[in-house]
Amino acid sequence: QVQLVESGGGTVQAGGSLRLSCAASGRSFSSYAVGWFRQAPGQEREFVSAINYSGYKKYYEDSVKGRFTISRDNDGGRVYLQMNSLKPEDTAVYYCAAVNTYYDGDYYYHSNNYDYWGQGTQVTVSS
């Protein structure tokens, strides 16, 4: 069982930065891959980024490549999403999710492959 808690959301102006944190409790966090998803009002939840269990493989949705960076601290039980050059279209509730897997590739892009979810943190980017 893994519990996830997101933090770090807030309101920033376009061009600004935020760092989201996903804190995990439970055993064997280092065997879990973690993904970030977001959901804007009236829209479906969409993939943003993911990192495999070791941290060596990272995945990004095209619109955030070059602006967002995912990383993890397995000793500390945290995954981070550094978001730079934020745009109004990045406004959404951001969720982290975890799955105990060694798969790679587009497995991470699908929300229904994840077993555990946090409660979400709001990110608002003003123009």
Side-chain angles (χ1 to χ4, degrees):
Q1 187 78 10
V2 174
Q3 292 183 326
L4 304 173
V5 178
E6 303 95 335
S7 61
T11 300
V12 295
Q13 290 188 333
S17 298
L18 285 172
R19 188 174 82 154
L20 304 185
S21 175
C22 175
S25 61
R27 296 182 176 180
S28 304
F29 174 69
S30 59
S31 65
Y32 284 78
V34 174
W36 285 96
F37 290 78
R38 65 187 179 187
Q39 187 167 20
Q43 298 186 20
E44 294 186 354
R45 190 170 298 187
E46 66 173 1
F47 171 80
V48 176
S49 181
I51 189 166
N52 77 334
Y53 69 98
S54 68
Y56 285 110
K57 295 191 176 182
K58 304 175 183 181
Y59 306 86
Y60 299 95
E61 193 268 330
D62 286 347
S63 70
V64 307
K65 285 180 181 177
R67 299 189 299 123
F68 291 11
T69 303
I70 193 169
S71 60
R72 68 186 297 157
D73 171 10
N74 279 344
D75 291 337
R78 287 182 179 265
V79 172
Y80 301 99
L81 185 68
Q82 178 67 43
M83 306 187 296
N84 298 329
S85 302
L86 283 161
K87 304 175 181 181
E89 51 264 43
D90 295 318
T91 295
V93 177
Y94 283 71
Y95 300 89
C96 66
V99 57
N100 190 344
T101 184
Y102 296 108
Y103 285 141
D104 287 320
D106 61 2
Y107 179 91
Y108 297 123
Y109 289 75
H110 305 287
S111 60
N112 58 3
N113 288 334
Y114 292 81
D115 296 318
Y116 304 100
W117 290 82
Q119 82 290 349
T121 185
Q122 176 70 47
V123 171
T124 302
V125 184
S126 61
S127 58

